Amino acid sequence: MIPGGRARRALLWLAVHATAVAVGLMFLAPLAFMLLTAVMTDRQALSGDLWPRGWHFANFTEVFSGDMVRWTVNSTLYAGLSTLFMLVSSVPVAYALARFRFRGRNLALVAVISAMMLPPQVTMVPLYIVWARFELTGTLWPLIIPQLFGDAFSIFLLRQFLVTIPREYADAARVDGCGELRTMLRVVLPMARPALAAVALFQFFYCWNDYFRPLVYADPDHWTLAIGVATFRAAHHVEWNLTMAATLLTILPVLVVFFLAQRVFIQGVTLTGVKG
Amino acid sequence: MASGSLRLPLPGTRGGTAAARARRRRRLRTLAFLSPWLAGFGLFFVYPLAATVYFSFTRYNLFTLEYVGLDNYTYLLHDRDAWTAMRNTLWLVAVLVPLRVLFGLGVAQLLTRIKRGAGVLRSILYLPYLVPPVSATVAFVFLLNPGTGPFQTVAARLGIPLPDFFNDAAWAKPGLTLLGLWAVGDVMIIMLAALLNVPASLYEAAAIDGAGACARFRHITLPTVSPVLAFSAVTGVIETLQYFTQPMVAGKVASGRADLPGVQYSPGYPDGSTLTFPQWLYDQGFRQFNMGYACVLALVMFATAMAFTVFLLRRFRAFAGEEAQ
């Protein structure tokens, strides 16, 4: 060791940890200020004050006096049904891509990746025209029904996970006389529970956060939270306190789910990026 | 096997050797498992792409359809808003994507350096990525608002003047960049996983050879994480090409206009500085109902996104099933 190495290391330790604390605080600051503003009176929220004079938690209930309840119901329906449909349709596809050997399998995988990378705006015009023919524009069905036909991102993610499960398990089941469907449902899927949870969460959050597609299709009766919150400020002119309270309420379910399933979630994110 | 393949069984016949029957059963089984995706690929990928090409040669507003040849394409060349949108999108690709990748890598590197509290810090850094984009955007417009925004108050007390981010055409895109950096959690997690995959023995060996921190980063860390860097960069570009929610919401909230009945909002506030390509497509297709022209814009997006996807596929041939034998 070079002389003074200990002092230098201590200094480095201090620098690293000071930076870490500073970065952490900067990342938390927006959320903290949102929370502090959400409990202010509307007058104080406009004053530029940082700390609330009195904690008006009633703001959170006042938010619900408007259309917020309906938006929440719509968002939940959209995200819930989409997730359910996605699982039913995408799991067998991912299973086949990971397990079966057939001609054109690599081509199929390339098609999945291409669809995954395709911006939704590209195909929107013809699809809108089709849904308009069926007189389903104005509702959320044009966003939910397609999930019955598989979701590229989920298929890709599930497939990446399923190829890591040793084939021996499935082979053993087959020797015991299991059909392929039974093998998938009874043997492989229980082992893939973390991956299933991850894609379900991703799908749910994607729909919960989706703004573009409901904006194109939904009429005000079918607005979701995302559209509602974006509109909130215009309807409630300068009431930043209520706007922040509404904003925090849209974050809350996501945070609760995340902290319950943190490991699964992080694993999923890692799986998307690292495999390459 | 070879002799069996000469006798092609007719569809529906129950004949053939046992091996041929098994093969047919396997093929049917594969088809059954793949059927949702095969249908979906046709209905929601192939058909709409073909239709987009067809509609791009027409003037169509949902009620009347007229074949206009290349008119929509020549119009694109003169559409100044489309060029503005393209410039803004390219600005974001050039600034936001590299900053997010580098910042994500930096933060991940920082996380590998600390032991106590690393889990907490990782959660704190990941948290903003989970915040719904609409909510995050509404919040940032408020937080950076002059006069009322807490960040402006803090900066003013520290004697640092902040610009009027979302109302100033010169600062609207930098404002969106700050928002993008706050939500860097996805990149950070991928980078962290890659960094933790670098074997510690490599670093130890290099340290014994007398390599400094910089040399170790350049010769060990960078080469190992470079595939992940490239992956993040390309997916970042594809995401930025679709950048819609944040600029749209920022413009609406900052200008105080929204989709309320009777209120018209033209995207891009202030002065077209936040008009991105997908917003212009949305405006043309679903608000002006220039469906044909919107299809031309969609094809431009498609060509760009596919170019990057092809690059991504080339770069990561490993995607295409090397694991299954």
Side-chain angles (χ1 to χ4, degrees), chain B residues 71-84:
Chain B
D71 278 10
N72 288 323
Y73 290 86
T74 47
Y75 182 72
L76 175 67
L77 301 177
H78 305 287
D79 182 0
R80 291 182 57 188
D81 288 308
W83 289 104
T84 305

Side-chain angles (χ1 to χ4, degrees), chain B residues 6 33 46 49 60 68 71 77 113-114 116 118 126 145 160 172 174 180 230 249 255 281 291 296-297 304:
Chain B
L6 287 174
F33 275 69
V46 178
L49 269 183
Y60 186 39
V68 294
D71 278 10
L77 301 177
R113 287 320 238 355
I114 54 176
R116 291 222 340 229
Y126 192 67
N145 218 13
I160 312 160
V249 174
S255 67
L281 194 161
M291 296 281 190
V296 173
L297 299 174
T304 326

Side-chain angles (χ1 to χ4, degrees), chain A residues 154-198:
Chain A
S154 309
I155 293 172
F156 175 69
L157 195 62
L158 278 173
R159 184 250 168 210
Q160 295 296 82
F161 187 87
L162 290 179
V163 287
T164 64
I165 294 179
R167 285 174 160 262
E168 284 71 29
Y169 292 105
D171 290 340
R174 206 164 304 129
V175 169
D176 289 346
C178 257
E180 200 61 57
L181 196 64
R182 274 257 298 272
T183 310
M184 177 181 95
L185 291 174
R186 289 284 164 77
V187 181
V188 177
L189 287 190
M191 283 189 278
R193 222 173 270 152
L196 289 173

